[in-house]
């Protein structure tokens, strides 16, 4: 019934297996990929017919994690997987980015790739397995996919690169880098680093590229056994249309791309486009005119050719800058009056308003993942409203792009944050992109660094970021610093680097052509370093270190540690005690399982009151110390005094005064405050107190006669 084909290799100390022919046989391509005991099912399906009027390649990649893969039942009320998590969204983008450029230009058939996690061993992240499975499924499908690609995760520790570190190894690594590419070139990089040098980052990329070559060979062997017949696809030749457009509006486009202002330039390009449509497009009088979709594609090709050729020939860019020149920068900090920290970072026509908010342990984000539920104390949310590019659109939840850009900035900044022990706050950054013409994610990195320092967060060093571009034509190669939006759309590479003066903290690369070489990457990294240092200098003019003091309205947090066996005393039955502390002092109290307690309030007196209360509940009284207490019960033989939190002790009638006392009621009454000295504990552990050894007016210990004589 089944015609199963399978390939296996030993890779990074574990077995990687690809199988096809048993599951999802009606898909164009389906592969069951297993690494260790992590298994994913990757499928690829293409639609044979192109939708009328399609003017782009409709590729959709959906990565989804099934909770049963880790033996878990989803949390929440509905108990089934719902909308994509952040991890699923980011992994979908991770798979999409290296495969999309490998479909031929002009291919507009709808393609859907679905990657489903079926088993997770809690050691091997499914994202790499999913990328390999998707590559294999596309290669088997018969679709015009110019793959396969390979992918690998690279770690770095003690000066050595690690191939596919396990989930336990990643937190100890100085680098978490994912690289994907073909046999000849690198297609995509995504990474987070702890201030590593450009040479180490480049070495990691090339190490990963070398190490996934056996995976590419393995996919080819599997395809030789089980691939479908290739689709009959030949891209349409519109060179004659392009020639007509160039003749008609070529000069207009050349002139338009000498205009440095984005709005005016777009208007001039739009006018040239309208002219081409009016002269060449289909109308009632000209039914044999050029189809609108063809005309649009050809116009874009002419536009790209003019821009790219101009840059390579002249060394000058759309806005007149040289290849390595960064646009004018204005950095401002502390611009909002009531927020905990704020900044406005402007670079040319790109602007990010970034705000820091500090919170307590109650504000940490709970994340339910296949590996288990955990808390996240640092959040960065990126928003891209349509007004930032002068447009209108229907606003829904954050899209994949916003989530991806926010995560890139999150990775770039996280390396310089203080530890929870040194700075026990939950930190949320929100970046509102108020203008955009170029990399808004790197503007977010710069603005985040300033907003954190403005809030008094003691980051290790300021972080800056820059986006690089590439023009690669037969006439030459040009690497561009601080790319404009047009240079991004019409160029061949989007290469983003963030870091401090000490090293790189994040590197992201996407390629629109069939990959780039090590030499081009090295040139881009070196040129990016110069740009980053320049941006840091401009940022330092606004703020170059943490302000130290928190904002007036930010919560103050103090941390104390109590014995673990005393936690129940602080919480109380059903949380009764901790609720009482919060209600009466006005402070927030967060108790961890390890005995660390965070007390937070904007009012210092509230914090001191709560801490005193907690210490009274958890500390142990010391023999020989004097305490102020309250008489809670009077008996014939003495009085019980509450002197230390919930602790009571007995003052025997003989310990009330120096002279003989007939009855305790002659000296004390219930509710009376007295000073007592802790004498010790009897054989049964009962507390023994004394009043007569303490001056009841001053609370000072009385001096004994023998001691007076010695003086």
């Amino acid at each position: 019934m089944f015609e199963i084909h399978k390939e296996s290799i030993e890779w990074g100390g574990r077995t990687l297996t690809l199988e096809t022919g048993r599951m999802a046989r009606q898909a164009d391509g389906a592969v069951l990929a297993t690494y260790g005991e992590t298994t994913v099912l990757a499928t690829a399906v293409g639609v044979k017919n192109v939708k009328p009027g399609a003017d782009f390649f409709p590729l959709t990649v959906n990565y989804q994690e099934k909770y049963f893969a880790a033996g878990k039942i989803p949390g929440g009320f509905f108990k089934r997987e719902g909308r994509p998590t952040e991890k699923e969204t980011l992994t979908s983008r991770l798979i999409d980015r290296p495969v999309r450029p490998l479909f031929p230009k002009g291919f507009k058939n709808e393609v859907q790739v679905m990657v489903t996690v079926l088993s997770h061993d809690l050691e091997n992240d499914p994202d790499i397995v999913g990328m390999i499975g998707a590559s294999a499924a596309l290669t088997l499908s018969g679709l015009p996919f110019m793959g396969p690609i390979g992918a690998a995760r690279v770690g770095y520790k003690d000066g050595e690169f690690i191939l596919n570190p396990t989930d336990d190894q990643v937190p100890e690594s100085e680098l978490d880098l994912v690289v994907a590419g073909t046999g000849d070139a690198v297609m995509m990089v995504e990474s987070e680093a702890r201030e590593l040098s450009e040479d180490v980052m480049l070495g990691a990329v090339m190490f990963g590229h070398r190490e996934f070559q056996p995976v590419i060979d393995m996919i080819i062997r599997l395809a030789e056994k089980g691939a479908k017949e290739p689709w009959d696809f030949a891209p349409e030749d519109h060179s004659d249309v392009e020639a007509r457009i160039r003749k008609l509006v070529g000069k207009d486009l050349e002139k338009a791309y000498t205009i440095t202002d984005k709005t005016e330039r777009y208007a001039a390009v739009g006018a040239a486009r309208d002219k081409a449509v009016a002269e060449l497009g289909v109308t009632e009088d000209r039914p044999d005119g050029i189809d609108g979709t063809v005309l649009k594609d050809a116009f874009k090709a002419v536009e790209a050719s003019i821009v790219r050729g101009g840059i390579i020939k002249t060394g000058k860019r759309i806005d007149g800058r040289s290849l390595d020149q960064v646009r004018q920068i204005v950095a401002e900090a502390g611009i909002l009056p009531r927020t905990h920290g704020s900044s406005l970072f402007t670079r040319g026509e790109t602007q990010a308003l970034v705000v820091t908010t500090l919170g307590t342990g109650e504000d940490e984000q709970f994340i339910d993942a296949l590996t288990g539920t955990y808390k996240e104390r640092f959040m960065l949310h990126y928003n891209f409203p349509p007004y930032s590019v002068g447009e209108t659109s229907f606003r829904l939840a954050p899209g994949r792009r916003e989530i991806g850009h926010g995560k890139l900035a999150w990775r770039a900044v996280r390396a310089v944050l203080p530890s929870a022990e040194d700075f026990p706050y939950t930190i949320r950054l929100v970046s509102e992109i108020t203008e955009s013409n170029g990399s808004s994610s790197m503007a977010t990195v710069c603005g985040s660094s300033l907003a954190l320092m403005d809030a008094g967060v003691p980051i290790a060093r300021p972080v800056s970021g820059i986006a690089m571009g590439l023009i690669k034509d037969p006439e030459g190669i040009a690497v561009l610093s601080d790319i404009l939006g047009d240079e991004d759309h019409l160029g061949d590479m989007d290469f983003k680097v963030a870091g401090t003066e000490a090293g790189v903290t994040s590197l992201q690369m996407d390629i629109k052509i069939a990959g780039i070489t090590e030499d081009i990457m090295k040139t881009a990294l070196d040129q990016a370093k110069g740009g980053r240092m320049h941006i840091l200098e401009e940022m330092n003019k606004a703020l170059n270190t943490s302000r130290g003091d928190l904002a007036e309205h930010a919560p103050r947090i103090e941390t104390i540690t109590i014995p673990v066996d005393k936690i129940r005393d602080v919480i109380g039955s059903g949380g009764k005690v901790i609720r009482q502390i919060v209600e009466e002092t006005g402070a927030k109290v967060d108790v961890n399982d390890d005995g660390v307690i965070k007390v937070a309030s904007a009012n210092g007196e509230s914090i001191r009151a709560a801490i005193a209360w907690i210490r009274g509940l958890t500390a142990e009284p010391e023999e020989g110390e004097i305490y102020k207490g309250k008489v809670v019960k009077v008996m014939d033989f003495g009085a019980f005094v509450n002197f230390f939190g919930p602790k009571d002790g007995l003052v025997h009638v003989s310990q009330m005064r120096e002279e003989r006392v007939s009855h305790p009621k002659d000296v004390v009454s219930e509710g009376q405050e007295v000073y007592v000295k802790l004498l010790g504990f009897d054989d049964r552990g009962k507390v023994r107190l004394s009043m007569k050894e303490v001056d009841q007016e001053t609370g000072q210990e009385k001096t004994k006669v023998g001691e007076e004589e010695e003086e």
Side-chain angles (χ1 to χ4, degrees), residues 364 375 420-421 424 559-568 570-571 590-598:
E364 291 179 339
K375 291 182 179 181
E421 291 74 24
T559 302
I560 61 173
T561 303
I562 64 171
V564 174
D565 60 357
K566 298 291 184 181
I567 292 176
R568 61 179 180 272
V570 176
I571 295 176
D590 181 55
V591 183
N592 292 339
D593 294 338
D594 57 1
V596 175
I597 297 180
K598 298 176 184 177

Side-chain angles (χ1 to χ4, degrees), residues 320-540:
R321 285 181 292 148
S322 60
L323 301 183
D324 62 352
Q325 187 177 353
V326 178
R327 287 170 290 175
Q328 183 180 359
I329 291 170
V330 178
E332 303 168 79
I335 67 167
L336 299 177
R338 293 281 299 192
T339 59
H340 300 165
S342 61
S343 71
L344 186 67
F345 180 84
T346 308
R347 186 192 63 242
E349 293 172 305
T350 298
Q351 187 179 76
L353 172 67
V354 186
V355 179
T356 301
T357 305
L358 303 178
T360 66
E362 293 180 356
D363 300 308
E364 291 179 339
Q365 182 179 15
F366 282 87
I367 298 178
D368 191 18
L370 288 185
T371 52
T373 301
Y374 64 95
K375 291 182 179 181
E376 178 57 62
R377 62 180 284 263
F378 173 48
M379 295 158 279
L380 193 154
H381 298 141
Y382 165 102
N383 298 308
F384 192 88
Y387 66 75
S388 65
V389 288
E391 297 177 356
T392 62
S393 69
F394 187 62
R395 295 288 290 166
L396 293 171
R400 286 187 174 188
R401 180 182 180 277
E402 288 176 296
I403 292 172
H405 279 37
K407 194 65 174 182
L408 171 60
W410 181 90
R411 291 190 180 107
V413 172
R414 191 168 74 134
V416 300
L417 292 179
S419 67
E421 291 74 24
D422 295 333
F423 193 74
Y425 289 84
T426 297
I427 303 170
R428 182 187 184 224
L429 287 168
V430 177
S431 174
E432 298 287 339
I433 303 304
T434 51
E435 293 182 33
S436 182
N437 183 17
S439 178
S440 53
S441 62
M442 293 298 96
T444 295
V445 170
C446 300
S448 295
S449 177
L450 291 167
L452 285 168
M453 292 188 291
D454 183 54
V457 180
I459 63 174
R461 277 167 290 278
V463 184
S464 67
I466 189 170
M468 310 293 293
L470 174 70
I471 305 293
K472 186 172 183 243
D473 274 350
E475 292 80 11
I477 294 174
V479 176
L480 315 179
S481 296
D482 180 25
I483 55 174
L484 299 170
D486 286 335
E487 292 168 339
D488 185 9
H489 300 149
L490 302 176
D492 299 321
M493 176 181 75
D494 184 8
F495 189 97
K496 300 184 176 89
V497 188
T500 69
E501 61 183 6
V504 175
T505 58
S506 185
L507 168 64
Q508 183 187 82
M509 185 188 76
D510 290 307
I511 293 296
K512 301 173 188 176
I513 54 178
I516 62 170
T517 64
E518 182 177 359
D519 289 341
I520 293 176
M521 283 193 66
K522 180 172 175 53
T523 300
L525 277 168
D526 291 342
Q527 193 167 314
K529 183 176 181 179
R532 281 197 302 109
M533 294 303 106
H534 168 72
I535 294 170
L536 269 178
E537 290 177 4
E538 295 300 311
M539 290 167 57
N540 288 342

Side-chain angles (χ1 to χ4, degrees), residues 459-710:
I459 63 174
R461 277 167 290 278
V463 184
S464 67
I466 189 170
M468 310 293 293
L470 174 70
I471 305 293
K472 186 172 183 243
D473 274 350
E475 292 80 11
I477 294 174
V479 176
L480 315 179
S481 296
D482 180 25
I483 55 174
L484 299 170
D486 286 335
E487 292 168 339
D488 185 9
H489 300 149
L490 302 176
D492 299 321
M493 176 181 75
D494 184 8
F495 189 97
K496 300 184 176 89
V497 188
T500 69
E501 61 183 6
V504 175
T505 58
S506 185
L507 168 64
Q508 183 187 82
M509 185 188 76
D510 290 307
I511 293 296
K512 301 173 188 176
I513 54 178
I516 62 170
T517 64
E518 182 177 359
D519 289 341
I520 293 176
M521 283 193 66
K522 180 172 175 53
T523 300
L525 277 168
D526 291 342
Q527 193 167 314
K529 183 176 181 179
R532 281 197 302 109
M533 294 303 106
H534 168 72
I535 294 170
L536 269 178
E537 290 177 4
E538 295 300 311
M539 290 167 57
N540 288 342
K541 294 176 182 178
L543 193 61
N544 62 6
T545 188
S546 170
R547 296 196 189 277
D549 295 332
L550 300 182
E552 177 185 353
H553 303 289
R556 267 61 178 172
I557 298 180
E558 292 191 23
T559 302
I560 61 173
T561 303
I562 64 171
V564 174
D565 60 357
K566 298 291 184 181
I567 292 176
R568 61 179 180 272
D569 296 330
V570 176
I571 295 176
S573 177
K576 179 180 178 181
V577 175
I578 196 169
R579 282 198 302 270
Q580 186 180 5
I581 295 173
V582 172
E583 289 172 3
E584 295 193 17
T585 66
K588 288 186 178 181
V589 180
D590 181 55
V591 183
N592 292 339
D593 294 338
D594 57 1
V596 175
I597 297 180
K598 298 176 184 177
V599 183
S601 174
N603 186 312
E605 188 58 40
S606 295
I607 294 177
R608 288 189 290 273
I611 289 177
W613 194 326
I614 294 168
R615 291 198 187 281
L617 293 170
T618 60
E620 294 291 341
E622 298 182 21
E623 187 174 330
E625 291 295 317
I626 294 173
Y627 301 94
K628 188 176 184 179
K630 183 181 291 187
V631 178
V632 294
K633 194 171 186 180
V634 180
M635 308 292 288
D636 292 340
F637 52 83
F640 287 97
V641 176
N642 174 239
F643 71 102
F644 195 85
K647 296 187 180 299
D648 295 344
L650 174 65
V651 181
H652 192 267
V653 66
S654 63
Q655 291 293 329
M656 288 186 167
R657 286 182 177 169
E658 294 290 349
E659 62 272 16
R660 185 177 181 278
V661 175
S662 299
H663 195 280
K665 286 185 178 179
D666 297 337
V667 181
V668 296
S669 59
E670 290 185 10
Q672 180 181 345
E673 291 187 343
V674 297
Y675 289 104
V676 295
K677 178 181 178 181
L678 176 58
L679 298 178
F681 306 88
D682 62 19
D683 296 338
R684 295 179 296 172
K686 301 295 183 180
V687 179
R688 296 187 296 110
L689 303 174
S690 173
M691 289 174 55
K692 70 179 184 181
E693 295 189 18
V694 184
D695 186 321
Q696 292 300 310
E697 292 185 3
T698 65
Q700 299 297 314
E701 185 175 6
K702 291 181 180 178
T703 304
K704 297 179 180 179
V705 176
E707 293 175 350
E708 289 178 346
E709 292 176 353
E710 289 178 7

Side-chain angles (χ1 to χ4, degrees), residues 241-289:
V241 179
E242 293 174 19
R244 293 174 65 185
I245 292 173
R246 182 181 284 274
K247 182 178 180 181
L248 181 65
V249 297
K251 297 294 184 182
D252 296 337
L253 283 174
E254 289 176 6
K255 184 177 179 181
Y257 276 104
T258 63
I259 301 172
T260 58
D261 181 78
K262 174 185 173 182
T263 303
E264 294 180 13
R265 181 171 65 252
Y266 277 22
V269 171
R273 185 184 300 110
D274 293 342
K275 180 179 178 181
V277 170
E279 293 289 333
L280 304 175
V282 177
T283 65
E284 291 183 2
D285 298 332
R286 192 172 53 248
D288 58 343

Side-chain angles (χ1 to χ4, degrees), residues 40-43 61-65 95 113-117 130 134:
V40 305
L41 174 64
T43 63
V61 177
N62 292 314
Y63 166 90
Q64 50 192 348
E65 297 179 339
I95 298 170
V113 175
M114 295 190 70
V115 178
T116 307
V117 181

